[in-house]
Structure formats: structure tokens, C-alpha cells
Amino acid sequence: LSRGLGDVYKRQVLALISEALTNKQIANRLNLSEATIKSHVSAIIAKLGVPDRVGAAVFAMQHGLVS
């Protein structure tokens, strides 16, 4: 994931996806709209080339993107 401001949120969203939080829970945690979270999740999935949010979480853990 690249380094723009939106990517700071994408990294946070990826970490929270890896904790099995829902979009609504992530939105509440980050004080963002659920629509914004859905957009970030879609971008993360596309960028990582994985089929879904579970794939994103697995990728993140396997590649040390989250702890």
C-alpha cells in the first residue's frame, strides 16, 4: 500500500479487518462513514489481488503488514 493520507486509513482498515471487525465497527472506531470504509476495503482487496476481506487479512498477516 502506498503512502498517501488515504493509505494511512487503508493500513488502519487492513489492521482492523485482520481483527475480524465489520465495516460498521471499523467506521465507528475510525470515526469515518461506513461508505468510506467500504471504499477502503474494496481498494485494499483490489490492490492486494485477493478475492475478499478474509484474503486481505491472511495476506496482511503472511506479509507482516499487521501484527
Side-chain angles (χ1 to χ4, degrees):
L1 298 172
S2 58
R3 301 278 181 205
L5 177 59
D7 293 311
V8 171
Y9 283 118
K10 286 182 183 73
R11 285 186 178 276
Q12 291 175 323
V13 169
L14 183 57
L16 295 172
I17 288 171
S18 298
E19 293 178 22
L21 270 63
T22 65
N23 287 348
K24 185 173 186 173
Q25 291 169 322
I26 294 169
N28 288 336
R29 178 91 52 103
L30 298 179
N31 294 317
L32 296 171
S33 74
E34 196 169 346
T36 299
I37 299 305
K38 286 180 183 181
S39 175
H40 284 319
V41 171
S42 293
I44 290 165
I45 288 169
K47 188 149 195 168
L48 297 180
V50 295
D52 53 28
R53 62 193 297 130
V54 173
V58 170
F59 183 98
M61 289 180 206
Q62 288 177 336
H63 293 87
L65 300 176
V66 297
S67 53

